[in-house]
Amino acid sequence: MNLSGLLKIALKALQINKMRAFLTMLGIIIGVASVIAMLAIGEGSKESIKSQISSMGSNMLTIRPGAGMQGGVRMDVSSMQTLTIKDLESIQKNGTLVENTSPVVNGNGHAIKGSKNWPTSIYGVAPNYLKVRVLTVQDGTMFTDEDVKASAKVAVIGKTIVENLFSAGENPIGATIRFNKIPFKVIGVLSEKGENTFGQDQDDVILAPYTAVQKRVLAITYLQSIATSSKSEDKAPEAVEEVSKILRENHKLVNTDDDFNVFSQQELISMFSSTSEMMTLLLVAIAGISLLIGGIGIMNIMYVSVKERTREIGLRMAVGGTGRDILMQFLTEAIIISITGGIIGVTLGLFSTVFIAKVLNWPTSVTLFSILLSFAVCAITGIFFGWYPARKAATLDPINALRYE
């Protein structure tokens, strides 16, 4: 029997029991919709993380002191003083793959303006920190290298600081705010950046010359970190190696562990993408249980169908039908149920994805791969779980089948 004949017989058989066919494919529908939605959430999360980390400076390298030993006791990273201005100057002088290097020191405290105060952080940096972090000044100006040399008490503030220390419509440029009792004159306001991947408000920040923050706020002489950028994203791994080599020579490290760490944004993207992929696989595996249950449902219903139509099978065999014809007939029915359930499931999954994005405001992204994967799984499920009842029908004895009550 040709394919057209098989399809006609299968569709006619399914039309006779429409409700039973629908209930049979319900597990497939739920499973496919769940897989589509879970993959869309996973892909959307991965793209969102990549986009947000890149917005912080896709070429950025962060150099931090590493945990070290002192008197046999491992010290906390925050207490290490292994990064100095000499390291910064060495990187600026000898680094051929990096540009726009800036020292970073920071402290937490309260910013105060008149009767208003706000808990926040102050970052001591150099002017080219803006290029490293892809920041721009919306109003006013950034402080200069001369301000850094003079340890000038000037600051550029984020939108969150403006909203919490200044009244609506009040111009912050030229005003004086106090951070931990140290006065800073506001000379610029940063453009809005929003929250980053870690939920941190990037507008809740005060930038000031690092020399002023070192001397007047923190009373330290070392650097807490160094921010720099590779000349291109492709050069980031080589830039990490180059910076590490410069610091090892500076710190005279031979056959010993580094007392610093160098991270690139690409490493962060890779790390978070791997975590996101693992979570997606876990969710898809859970959703796949519905497909398994749907497949078992198809096998049970097809088995019942074979029992109900035993005399029909015997009659077909008696008029010349072969076991292969019977096998293909029932297998075609199972595949049609599975594929139809897959089509409805994909449609439901796409609607679910739109609902999740609009109502829950979660990042989602449907890929062609997820749709093709769902159809492939549906076809395999139909063949795998439809084979046993179809095979049982094909091996029936024609005489016994005709006598079946």
Side-chain angles (χ1 to χ4, degrees), residues 24-254:
T24 304
M25 66 178 71
L26 197 56
I28 298 292
I29 293 171
I30 295 172
V32 169
S34 301
V35 169
I36 293 285
M38 293 303 106
L39 285 174
I41 291 172
E43 189 65 24
S45 300
K46 194 166 70 175
E47 290 180 4
S48 176
I49 289 169
K50 186 175 180 180
S51 172
Q52 289 191 38
I53 292 179
S54 294
S55 72
M56 295 162 61
S58 59
N59 301 347
M60 188 172 78
L61 307 182
T62 303
I63 305 151
R64 296 183 184 279
M69 302 290 287
Q70 199 169 83
V73 179
R74 185 166 289 278
M75 304 297 291
D76 184 76
V77 172
S78 60
S79 64
M80 297 302 293
Q81 304 177 15
T82 53
L83 291 182
T84 64
I85 198 69
K86 182 184 173 186
D87 293 324
L88 175 81
E89 291 169 350
S90 295
I91 293 170
Q92 288 175 325
K93 181 180 177 182
N94 303 315
T96 59
L97 300 175
V98 297
E99 55 189 0
N100 301 319
T101 305
S102 169
V104 179
V105 290
N106 69 287
N108 300 321
H110 271 75
I112 301 171
K113 165 72 169 56
S115 60
K116 296 182 178 180
N117 71 87
W118 178 250
T120 186
S121 300
I122 189 168
Y123 284 78
V125 298
N128 54 13
Y129 182 73
L130 296 185
K131 293 180 181 175
V132 178
R133 289 292 311 275
V134 198
L135 298 171
T136 56
V137 176
Q138 180 176 301
D139 298 318
T141 59
M142 182 63 173
F143 50 79
T144 63
D145 289 329
E146 294 303 317
D147 292 324
V148 173
K149 288 178 183 174
S151 303
K153 292 182 285 187
V154 292
V156 178
I157 60 177
K159 288 284 184 183
T160 301
I161 305 296
V162 175
E163 290 170 1
N164 288 281
L165 294 187
F166 295 88
S167 303
E170 185 179 359
N171 185 8
I173 306 299
T176 298
I177 63 173
R178 305 179 75 85
F179 185 86
N180 288 357
K181 300 180 181 179
I182 308 297
F184 286 90
K185 181 182 178 181
V186 177
I187 61 171
V189 176
L190 296 169
S191 299
E192 192 168 354
K193 290 278 283 187
E195 290 188 351
N196 62 18
T197 308
F198 314 104
Q200 183 184 11
D201 183 2
Q202 298 180 89
D203 302 314
D204 188 6
V205 64
I206 299 172
L207 300 183
Y210 75 92
T211 48
V213 177
Q214 275 184 319
K215 293 177 183 176
R216 306 178 192 283
V217 179
L218 303 175
I220 60 174
T221 56
Y222 58 88
L223 304 179
Q224 292 172 327
S225 65
I226 296 173
T228 185
S229 55
S230 61
K231 291 188 174 177
S232 69
E233 284 187 31
D234 296 338
K235 295 287 184 184
E238 296 173 44
V240 169
E241 288 300 317
E242 184 184 62
V243 169
S244 299
K245 183 180 177 184
I246 292 171
L247 292 179
R248 277 196 291 269
E249 289 175 357
N250 260 18
H251 296 183
K252 296 180 173 53
L253 300 175
V254 180

